[in-house]
Amino acid sequence: ESADKQLIIESKLKEISGQWDGMYFDFAGWKQRDYPCILVGAKVGETQDALEETMMNLNTMNAQRHSLPFKEELTTLLATLSDTGDTIERWFKIQQMWTSLESVFTG
């Protein structure tokens, strides 16, 4: 029974890692910029929702006694996703301030 639960945890960890390995952000142009420089809001929202859901699942797995062989991987992944969520939140907040104040500094 213990081995079966550890196998489930291991397969879920691989699935989660695969999900986030393929994740990327969409950037769009803004005003007369010749390059994409603005995070697309819809994608950010989807990513933040996925981050929250994944972190909740990882915390649940981390609380199980069968997760002991995977503790290091679980805590590393949790820390990485938490840092990613914080970075996205800050980036989007700064982006909103920049887009609203950019005309003041260039005008």
Side-chain angles (χ1 to χ4, degrees):
E1 179 185 347
S2 180
D4 290 338
K5 291 187 179 187
Q6 287 179 354
L7 185 61
I8 290 169
I9 291 171
E10 183 178 24
S11 67
K12 284 183 180 179
L13 276 173
K14 286 181 183 177
E15 180 183 321
I16 289 170
S17 293
Q19 172 190 358
W20 289 101
D21 284 344
M23 192 65 68
Y24 62 93
F25 295 107
D26 291 329
F27 289 86
W30 192 68
K31 291 193 175 184
Q32 288 81 27
R33 301 290 189 278
D34 294 339
Y35 50 88
C37 58
I38 299 290
L39 272 174
V40 176
K43 181 72 173 181
V44 171
E46 290 174 22
T47 303
Q48 286 177 317
D49 290 344
L51 271 170
E52 289 176 16
E53 183 179 339
T54 301
M55 289 178 63
M56 186 175 64
N57 291 337
L58 288 171
N59 278 318
T60 301
M61 283 189 272
N62 200 24
Q64 296 175 359
R65 65 183 176 100
H66 303 290
S67 68
L68 194 57
F70 309 103
K71 281 290 188 200
E72 185 176 338
E73 186 177 356
L74 281 165
T75 54
T76 300
L77 195 51
L78 274 166
T80 301
L81 292 178
S82 178
D83 290 346
T84 302
D86 292 344
T87 302
I88 292 169
E89 191 175 312
R90 288 183 188 128
W91 181 305
F92 204 64
K93 189 179 291 184
I94 290 168
Q95 175 178 296
Q96 287 175 324
M97 289 189 295
W98 176 71
T99 55
S100 64
L101 293 174
E102 194 257 353
S103 61
V104 172
F105 294 108
T106 59

